């Protein structure tokens, strides 16, 4: 007796139905009564039958009212109604009603997308018909949530909390259903690594595995169990293989999965890296594959480079490693890294520091000794090469900051800073900035060994030359150069101040009016006076 009586489903009463659905949202009690009334599975289908009539007869007013009705039912935000609306029988009618948004100049094309463009491909046979139905339903629900709802009038972010819960609940049901399928993941992994698998099939399998991992790893209840399953299936060796293939989509999906694992289970990744470093010496190891991918990848414009950089920063961060591994293990890993892996990362840098190699694009410029899936001809593009080198320098700067002891030994032994400062002459200023930032990161440590290395190697000479070349310009590169000298002055790094004043005063004579260089000379003279007083 407390149920709300709904008007009969016919064209003359559409206005009354629209008013009822719209007004019910204003009262919690009316909203609940309306939901219970709409629970009758025949009512929404009857509304959709009227939609077909209105569309066939081009009844504009009826289509507008049906849009308001369907929007209002969606805004009731009840899972019991979502199950009806997203079913095979109703979904196209619901989406069709939402195409006639009064705020749009033309009707949407959502039905065309769902029926002709969107193609849910079954890369792995699923025998359970109920599970297949749930997969289709969640796809439709996410399409409505992400594509249609944000464009509706008076829609607000986070408005339909129960729709989010409905989608998450469906995801969990799908995961449980897939995990009941016997040996399905084993079959997926076997096909991914089988050389006989067609490229298109492998790409589809990787997209599926990426979605499956994203669902499983974001579910705290099943995460540990899923990680154990992945470990048994040798997930990391599989990713090593897949990140070296030619297909960009496969590599991207593999990188996504590795990124998920790094975020949700860093301990698993670090444990694998440490074990691999201790046990193997072949060049198919994970870090080697990532470095070569960073250097050889021609797809920087698609964001693959940024993705690899984020993964590598996470994997090479000792502070994150120490959260799950012992100090001894982390230190041992860094020993192996600087013995075996870092030479792969620095291989693109020039070994010859003579003048003829000073700029990117020189005919003799060829720093890519690897045999990989991409030819050197592609990397001959000057801008592309500069981008790759900039990424390498950014990662090396990260190592300077996070691996202070190991990186210092490597820089001094390999004369790395001299090789990097060559890029100050590059016409690509973003590359020159990366080279300067590498030196700035070193000086920022205020390390005595680094300072002696810089002064003995006269490594300020290319910096001073770059400053003089840009003295009449106003740009980010000149600002970064000035900031380097200003940092030395404000931090009173006397060893470097004395070196600069004693060796470059004449060269910097044209800039003596600048406060920074006046200050350097003043501090040098003050320190000299103090030393003389001590002697006296």
């Amino acid at each position: 007796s407390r149920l709300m009586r709904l008007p009969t489903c016919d064209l003359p009463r559409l206005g009354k139905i629209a008013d009822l659905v719209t007004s019910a949202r204003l009262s919690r009690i009316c909203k609940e009564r309306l939901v219970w009334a709409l629970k009758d599975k025949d009512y929404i289908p009857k509304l959709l039958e009227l939609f077909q009539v209105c569309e066939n007869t081009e009844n504009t007013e009826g289509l507008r009212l049906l849009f308001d009705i369907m929007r209002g039912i969606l805004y009731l935000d009840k899972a019991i109604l979502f199950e009806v609306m997203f079913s095979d029988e109703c979904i196209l009618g619901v989406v069709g009603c939402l195409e006639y948004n009064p705020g749009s100049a033309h009707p949407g094309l959502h039905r065309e997308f769902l029926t002709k463009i969107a193609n849910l491909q079954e890369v792995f046979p699923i025998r359970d018909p109920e599970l297949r139905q749930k997969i289709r339903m969640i796809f439709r629900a996410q399409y409505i949530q992400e594509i249609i709802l944000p464009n509706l009038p008076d829609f607000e972010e986070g408005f339909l909390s129960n729709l989010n819960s409905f989608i998450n609940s469906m995801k969990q049901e799908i995961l449980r259903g897939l995990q009941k399928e016997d040996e399905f993941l084993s079959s997926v992994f076997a096909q991914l690594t089988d050389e006989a698998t067609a490229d298109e099939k492998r790409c589809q399998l990787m997209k599926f595995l990426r979605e499956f991992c994203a669902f499983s790893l974001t579910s705290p209840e099943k995460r540990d169990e899923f990680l154990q399953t992945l470990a048994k299936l040798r997930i990391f060796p599989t990713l090593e293989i897949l990140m070296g293939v030619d297909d960009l989509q496969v590599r991207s999906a593999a990188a996504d999965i590795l990124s998920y694992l790094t975020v949700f289970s860093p301990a698993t990744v670090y444990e694998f890296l440490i074990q691999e470093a201790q046990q193997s010496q072949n060049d198919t190891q994970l870090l080697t594959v990532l470095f070569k991918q960073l250097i050889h990848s021609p797809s920087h414009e698609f964001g693959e480079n940024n993705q690899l950089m984020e993964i590598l920063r996470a994997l090479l961060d000792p502070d994150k490693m120490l959260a799950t591994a012992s100090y001894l293990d982390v230190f041992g890993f860094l020993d192996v890294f600087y013995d075996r892996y870092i030479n792969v990362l620095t291989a693109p840098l020039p070994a010859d520091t003579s003048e003829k190699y000073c700029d990117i694009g020189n005919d003799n410029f060829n720093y890519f000794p690897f045999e990989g899936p991409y030819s050197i001809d592609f990397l001959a593009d000057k801008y592309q090469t500069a981008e790759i080198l900039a990424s390498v320098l950014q990662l090396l700067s990260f190592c300077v900051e996070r691996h202070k002891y190991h990186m210092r030994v490597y820089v001094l032994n390999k004369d790395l800073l001299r090789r990097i400062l060559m890029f100050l002459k590059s016409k690509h200023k973003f590359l020159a900035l990366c080279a300067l930032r590498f030196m700035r990161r070193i000086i920022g440590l205020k390390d005595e060994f680094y300072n002696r290395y810089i002064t003995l190697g006269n490594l300020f000479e290319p910096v001073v030359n770059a400053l003089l070349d840009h003295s009449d310009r106003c740009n980010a590169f000149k600002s970064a150069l000035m900031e380097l000298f200003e940092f030395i002055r404000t931090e009173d790094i006397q060893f470097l101040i004395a070196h600069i004043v004693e060796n470059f005063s004449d060269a910097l004579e044209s800039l003596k009016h600048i406060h920074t260089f006046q200050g350097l000379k003043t501090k040098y003279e003050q320190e000299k006076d103090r030393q003389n007083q001590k002697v006296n």
Side-chain angles (χ1 to χ4, degrees), residues 80-134:
I80 198 169
L81 300 181
F82 294 148
E83 291 181 2
V84 178
M85 299 177 78
F86 301 153
S87 65
D88 288 343
E89 296 77 20
C90 296
I91 183 63
L92 291 180
V94 171
V95 169
C97 291
L98 297 174
E99 288 180 353
Y100 291 92
N101 185 345
S104 301
H106 304 285
L109 300 174
H110 304 304
R111 283 174 292 176
E112 181 179 349
F113 177 83
L114 290 174
T115 56
K116 297 179 181 179
I117 300 174
N119 182 20
L120 286 176
Q121 297 175 332
E122 188 173 327
V123 297
F124 182 86
I126 298 174
R127 294 181 289 272
D128 185 350
E130 185 178 347
L131 184 58
R132 295 163 64 95
Q133 163 66 15
K134 288 176 180 176

Side-chain angles (χ1 to χ4, degrees), residues 191-215:
Q191 292 181 69
L192 283 173
T193 54
D194 187 352
E195 293 182 0
T197 303
D199 292 343
E200 184 178 354
K201 177 69 173 178
R202 182 178 285 107
C203 184
Q204 292 173 356
L205 286 167
M206 275 307 293
K207 290 178 179 179
F208 163 77
L209 184 61
R210 174 173 57 189
E211 290 188 41
F212 188 72
C213 288
F215 283 3

Side-chain angles (χ1 to χ4, degrees), residues 498-518:
H499 175 73
I500 294 168
V501 174
E502 290 173 1
N503 291 276
F504 301 105
S505 288
D506 293 341
L508 296 171
E509 182 68 20
S510 60
L511 303 176
K512 65 181 182 179
H513 61 282
I514 298 176
H515 171 72
T516 296
F517 298 107
Q518 292 176 356

Side-chain angles (χ1 to χ4, degrees), residues 265-444:
S265 183
T268 307
V269 185
Y270 297 140
E271 181 182 0
F272 174 78
L273 286 177
I274 292 171
Q275 288 178 355
E276 192 177 51
Q278 293 170 347
Q279 297 172 1
S280 176
Q281 292 192 6
N282 59 52
D283 62 355
T284 60
Q285 294 178 321
L286 184 59
L287 282 176
T288 303
V289 171
L290 290 172
F291 285 150
K292 288 187 177 182
Q293 193 62 50
L294 180 71
I295 293 167
H296 283 288
S297 175
S299 52
H300 286 214
E301 64 270 24
F302 298 113
E304 186 179 14
N305 172 262
N306 294 333
Q307 185 183 38
L308 289 171
M309 289 288 288
E310 289 301 315
I311 292 172
L312 285 167
R313 285 193 185 100
L315 296 182
L316 296 176
D317 191 337
D319 293 337
K320 292 182 178 179
M321 283 188 179
L322 286 170
T324 57
S326 69
Y327 181 84
L328 189 61
D329 284 340
V330 174
F331 200 84
F333 167 76
L334 291 176
D335 281 342
V336 176
F337 174 77
Y338 280 91
D339 178 57
R340 188 184 308 162
Y341 296 121
I342 196 165
N343 289 328
V344 181
L345 179 62
T346 59
L349 302 179
D352 187 338
T353 55
S354 60
E355 195 68 23
K356 66 178 181 178
Y357 285 96
C358 68
D359 198 10
I360 304 299
N362 184 292
D363 291 338
N364 296 316
F365 191 92
N366 182 4
Y367 305 143
F368 298 88
F370 308 129
E371 292 182 3
Y374 311 110
S375 65
I376 301 301
D377 291 340
F378 179 85
L379 293 172
D381 177 83
K382 297 180 183 180
Y383 187 84
Q384 191 84 39
T385 306
E387 278 191 322
I388 292 171
L389 289 167
S391 298
V392 171
L393 296 189
Q394 289 173 29
L395 205 52
L396 289 173
S397 296
F398 175 84
C399 292
V400 166
E401 184 179 18
R402 299 304 174 94
H403 310 159
K404 292 183 175 64
Y405 168 75
H406 288 85
M407 189 60 178
R408 183 180 67 197
V409 172
Y410 186 82
V411 170
L412 270 57
N413 286 342
K414 300 293 184 180
D415 199 11
L416 188 64
L417 181 56
R418 185 185 307 277
R419 295 159 62 189
I420 289 175
L421 288 178
M422 287 176 58
F423 297 125
L424 292 179
K425 295 184 178 182
S426 173
K427 66 181 180 181
H428 302 290
K429 292 309 170 191
F430 65 88
L431 177 58
L433 268 172
C434 287
L436 184 63
R437 286 169 184 157
F438 181 80
M439 186 174 186
R440 172 66 175 81
R441 196 68 59 90
I442 285 176
I443 291 176

Side-chain angles (χ1 to χ4, degrees), residues 2 29 68 195 209 225 262 309 330 362 382 473 482:
R2 297 169 58 190
I29 295 175
D68 290 338
E195 293 182 0
L209 184 61
E225 180 183 343
T262 304
M309 289 288 288
V330 174
N362 184 292
K382 297 180 183 180
R473 302 178 193 176
M482 291 300 302

